[in-house]
Amino acid sequence: MENAATTQAPVRFERRLNPLDLMLGELGRAAQVLSGAAQASRPNPAGKQPASGQAELTPEEARHAAGLMRVNHVGEICAQALYRGQAIFCGDAAIKNVLYEAASEEVDHLVWCADRISELQSRPSLLNPLWYAGSFSLGLIASRAGTGKNLGFMAETERQVEQHLDRHLHELPPKDTRSRDIVAQMRDDEIHHRNTAEEHGAHKLPWPTRLVMKAMSKIMTTTAYRI
């Protein structure tokens, strides 16, 4: 008769990730995002790239459209980093999932913007590593502020992004339907993210915090348009 000890299923030990493991994982994720290796999970709203590329736009219109899409690309770099930073130390599993799901959709936006920038024969912002590091650090700080304020950062970020996407829909060249299709889908997604944060109990941030966020956003958009 076989010994019972030899017939027992092997005991499996699961190693829990410590903060260092998490940070190393996030460094790898940052490298993927900043290198342009990230892949979208949804098709580009603008469809496949036409053979004519940007031929429908004048050089001035193409430069302006590229500048606006570069700003949008930086916005997605920041949102991606912010939400992943917030999620790391979030103790609520449901809210952590909300943050990671929003970050996943921001990757789609990131890829779509990068594709359009390339079509316009331009480049992403040279300061993307700085934008990512700053936003990730802000996310880590926000994650320690409690669930309500954590979600409040998400809701306020999305509200400000909605506003500048609305402005871009007015500022993009009328003939640039490809950029417009991308920006319109991004705006719809950001509205959904804001609504989700509010439904899960986002607290309205104090006006000084909202003012600082708006000032930082202004610096980012003005700089990213050119650099």
Side-chain angles (χ1 to χ4, degrees), residues 3-144:
N3 191 313
T6 64
T7 60
Q8 283 185 333
V11 177
R12 296 181 182 274
F13 294 95
E14 293 187 4
R15 179 171 175 268
R16 295 183 63 183
L17 296 178
N18 60 40
L20 179 59
D21 293 324
L22 294 173
M23 293 304 295
L24 289 174
E26 288 302 324
L27 282 174
R29 181 64 178 180
Q32 184 183 43
V33 167
L34 294 171
S35 69
Q39 299 292 316
S41 62
R42 292 177 291 170
N44 191 317
K48 294 183 179 179
Q49 180 178 351
S52 58
Q54 81 223 35
E56 75 278 8
L57 302 177
T58 67
E60 292 76 14
E61 288 174 332
R63 279 195 295 271
H64 181 54
L68 295 179
M69 296 307 287
R70 182 161 45 249
V71 168
N72 294 331
H73 185 263
V74 168
E76 301 309 320
I77 289 281
C78 293
Q80 170 79 191
L82 177 69
Y83 298 155
R84 295 194 70 87
Q86 287 180 269
I88 281 189
F89 297 122
C90 178
D92 187 314
I95 302 306
K96 185 187 289 279
N97 285 336
V98 166
L99 291 164
Y100 278 135
E101 285 174 11
S104 178
E105 288 197 349
E106 304 296 356
V107 172
D108 291 345
H109 301 171
L110 188 79
V111 175
W112 299 341
C113 288
D115 287 347
R116 186 56 184 153
I117 291 169
S118 178
E119 290 175 16
L120 293 164
Q121 299 182 6
S122 192
R123 50 153 183 79
S125 172
L126 299 175
L127 301 177
N128 277 345
L130 178 62
W131 306 129
Y132 195 102
S135 297
F136 188 81
S137 299
L138 180 60
L140 290 177
I141 295 170
S143 72
R144 296 295 195 179

